[in-house]
Structures are given as structure tokens and as C-alpha cells.
Amino acid sequence: MLKGALIGVGHVAVHGHLPGWKATAEVDIVAAADARPERRVALAAAYPEARWYDTAEDLLSTERLDFVDICTPPDTHAMLVRQALARSLHVLCEKPLVLSPEELRGLPAMAVEKERTLFTVHNWKHAPLLAKISELARSGAIGEARRVRWETLRERPAAAVGDAPNWRIDPAQSGGGVLVDHGWHALYVLTQWLPAAPRTIAATLEIRKYHDFPIEDTADIFLVYPEASAEIFLTWAAEERANRVELWGTGGRLSADGGTLALSDADGTRRLQEWRFPSLSEGSHHPDWFAGVIAEFLGEINEPKAHGRNLAEASFCANVLALAKESSRRGGEPLPIERVIARRRR
């Protein structure tokens, strides 16, 4: 049985991760660390025997573990990942893995050197609706993918635990606004549908509603691939909570709105098949999606040849989001992606 520990016991850990670990027979959560002592109650409800630490440093220096599950605000991720890898632990980390390509530098090499898995929680690709789109796209149901339209609409950012200040709207902690919070999800899901690397990115970040926030509440991104394109629209300034996805191919079209997924002919005039799933906008912690993350994480641990698959997705997200910010600073100028990522890998 693998022994794991949580670092950070906030909402996502308690409502998203712990139910998944409790249902996994080959894993035992033996400890946790959080600077907020009141969070100990939430841990004890799931794992009453788990040991408690006030700091990650105390936990890492005391416990004999196989892995850690990092659920702290994003600005702490790179430091905690480095500390865990230095102790030869496998690492599962909430997204975003890092706040910048500079923070990523050296971590993949460290994971290879230690022969450990470094894995980011890419849970959205395990949502039943999105997993079905991936299955249909791989099966050739719509031919060759040519265009994607992704919309994430929210009325506000997700809240933090209790009365604590919301780290999502603090750029020092979050690394950005809606672009990082939801754009990371969109980008790794797109790698399942458009496997070729995009060539350019153009992005516009703006504040439409929350003018007191020091970060953007709306992001518009356009990616150009060798034979396809992708439009990503993200906002915390909507009047509804919704997710919509459209995937056009040479032989058909997939459209998702809420929990409904439809397959149509190429011009969208004739609906061929329809499926119903839980809506992508239901809830924020998605414990049912986390089961797929666990399976993938354990798969990489148990199969050394699989090491790095998820990390490649996370590296792609970190690099592309950095370029999106730069494009917006330049007034939405299209920027090359392939050459930049290749240079950073070196």
C-alpha cells in the first residue's frame, strides 16, 4: 500500500481529493499539513488516524512516505514540488503546476533523476462529457478535427475556505485571473483533441466586471494549429454559470452545452446522435472526476515508461499561458509557440 500525505487541507482537498483517496484500496493517507489548525477537523472526518503537522517542512522531514498530494495556493507549488522530489517522493499537485516557465525549469530533470512521477491534477479530461468527446474524436466520428470553440462562463471566481482572503484574485498567489484558473483546464483538454502543437497564439485579457480585482476577469484566446484552430473564451463576468464546447471536423460536428452532447453532420444541420451527462458547470471540486486522476497517477508510478506524459501536458500549459499574457501585453499580437517551447526545453 502506498503511503501518502496531503499538503493543504482546503476545499479542493476535502471535497475533491479525500473522497477519491478513501475509495482507493492501494493508498493510505497517513498525514497532512496545513497552517490553519481548524482544518484538522475536516481531515479527521475522513482519516481520524492521520497525523497532523502545522507546516509542510515538518511533515516532509518526519514522515516516511511514497507520495504527497499538494493542494495549496499556486504560488507555493514549485517550492513544495522541489522539496518533495528532493526527498524522492512521487508528487501529485493541483493545477497550475507552476506560475511560469521559469518556475518549471529544472523540475522535469529532477523527477527523472529521482525516478519519480511529477503529476498535475488534470481532472477535467476525466469529466464524462469531455471523455466522451475525446473517445469520439479518436474513433474518427467527426473525421479530422479542424476547429474547436471552448467557453467557460462564471459569474464570479470560486471562493476560498471560510473568511480567508480569496487567493484566486491575488496575482502574487494565483499567477493570474480567469486565464490561469480556467485556461489551464482548456489547454490540456485540447491536447486530447488536437494532438499537433499549435503554431501561434493571440490573446486578450481584460476586466469587464470586477474592476477592484488586480487581475483579469475575462480572457479571449486564439490558437492556430497546422490544420486547425481553437478559440477559448473564459470569463468570471457572465450572467450565467455554463460551459459550452464545439468541435468541428471534416466529417461531423460535436456540440456540448451543459450536460447535453450532440453529434451532427459536418454542416450541423442534421443531428445524428445525442448523449446526456452531468453538466460541466455542476460543482467546483468534482470528486467523481478525481478517480480518473488517481488511476492515471498510479499508472505512471507503476509503469516507469509512462513517466512524464502528464508532465508534458503541464509544461505545455505553463508555456502557452505565459505566451497568452505576453500576447495580451502586446495588444493581442499573435506570437509563435513552437519555437518558444522548443527553446525553453533546451
Side-chain angles (χ1 to χ4, degrees), residues 312 315-316 319 338 340-346:
S315 300
F316 170 76
N319 281 295
E338 291 176 314
V340 170
I341 292 179
R343 186 168 64 247
R344 285 173 176 161
R345 283 175 180 160
R346 291 197 298 268

Side-chain angles (χ1 to χ4, degrees), residues 255-337:
S255 303
D257 190 348
T260 301
L261 173 63
L263 171 65
S264 306
D265 57 10
D267 60 8
T269 59
R270 187 165 61 93
R271 183 164 291 193
L272 306 175
Q273 200 167 354
E274 186 174 291
W275 299 265
R276 297 279 183 174
F277 298 95
S279 174
L280 294 173
S281 59
E282 289 180 8
S284 297
H285 307 112
H286 312 296
D288 49 332
W289 303 358
F290 191 64
V293 173
I294 291 175
E296 226 183 329
F297 176 55
L298 297 182
E300 285 209 14
I301 290 175
N302 294 324
E303 178 47 69
K305 291 182 180 178
H307 286 185
R309 292 176 182 172
N310 171 275
L311 183 53
E313 294 174 0
S315 300
F316 170 76
C317 293
N319 281 295
V320 172
L321 289 182
L323 289 170
K325 294 176 185 178
E326 181 61 25
S327 171
S328 184
R329 281 193 288 268
R330 299 187 187 188
E333 175 186 341
L335 299 178
I337 291 177

Side-chain angles (χ1 to χ4, degrees), residues 2 4-6 13 16-29 46-47 67-71 92 121 287 290-291 293-295 297-298 301:
L2 294 176
L6 290 179
H17 293 211
L18 285 180
W21 293 127
K22 287 289 290 183
T24 305
E26 60 266 46
V27 169
D28 187 22
I29 299 299
Y47 285 95
F67 75 91
V68 292
D69 180 2
I70 298 172
C71 304
L92 179 68
V121 177
F290 191 64
V293 173
I294 291 175
F297 176 55
L298 297 182
I301 290 175

Side-chain angles (χ1 to χ4, degrees), residues 64-194:
R64 295 176 64 86
L65 302 167
D66 296 298
F67 75 91
V68 292
D69 180 2
I70 298 172
C71 304
T72 54
D75 64 313
T76 64
H77 288 179
M79 173 190 67
L80 292 170
V81 166
R82 196 172 300 276
Q83 291 175 351
L85 287 175
R87 290 168 171 81
S88 295
L89 301 180
H90 299 290
V91 180
L92 179 68
C93 184
E94 263 297 330
K95 66 84 189 167
L97 176 63
V98 292
L99 297 187
S100 69
E102 290 69 33
E103 285 192 346
L104 181 65
R105 192 167 292 123
L107 294 181
M110 195 173 183
V112 170
E113 177 191 352
K114 296 292 185 177
E115 297 182 338
R116 291 298 179 263
T117 290
L118 173 53
F119 198 98
T120 309
V121 177
H122 290 172
N123 57 340
W124 276 58
K125 69 180 182 180
H126 298 291
L129 186 151
L130 297 178
K132 184 65 176 180
I133 293 178
S134 298
E135 174 194 324
L136 292 168
R138 285 193 300 268
S139 72
I142 60 167
E144 296 293 325
R146 289 291 182 262
R147 181 188 170 200
V148 177
R149 171 71 180 176
W150 175 293
E151 293 184 359
T152 299
L153 310 179
R154 298 291 185 268
E155 298 166 290
R156 62 186 65 84
V161 170
D163 297 327
N166 194 344
W167 57 262
R168 285 182 176 82
I169 61 174
D170 177 359
Q173 290 186 279
S174 65
V178 72
L179 174 71
V180 177
D181 198 27
H182 288 284
W184 190 283
H185 289 308
L187 288 171
Y188 67 71
V189 172
L190 285 186
T191 66
Q192 314 300 303
W193 305 341
L194 302 171

Side-chain angles (χ1 to χ4, degrees), residues 179 183 201-205 219-223 230-234 321 324:
L179 174 71
I201 181 170
T204 303
L205 311 181
D220 214 337
I221 305 160
F222 185 67
L223 294 159
E231 306 152 49
I232 302 171
F233 179 73
L234 317 164
L321 289 182

Side-chain angles (χ1 to χ4, degrees), residues 152-156 208-210 217-218 233-242:
T152 299
L153 310 179
R154 298 291 185 268
E155 298 166 290
R156 62 186 65 84
R208 293 189 177 183
K209 178 179 180 181
Y210 294 102
D217 63 22
T218 301
F233 179 73
L234 317 164
T235 188
W236 287 333
E239 295 182 355
E240 60 176 329
R241 181 182 174 89

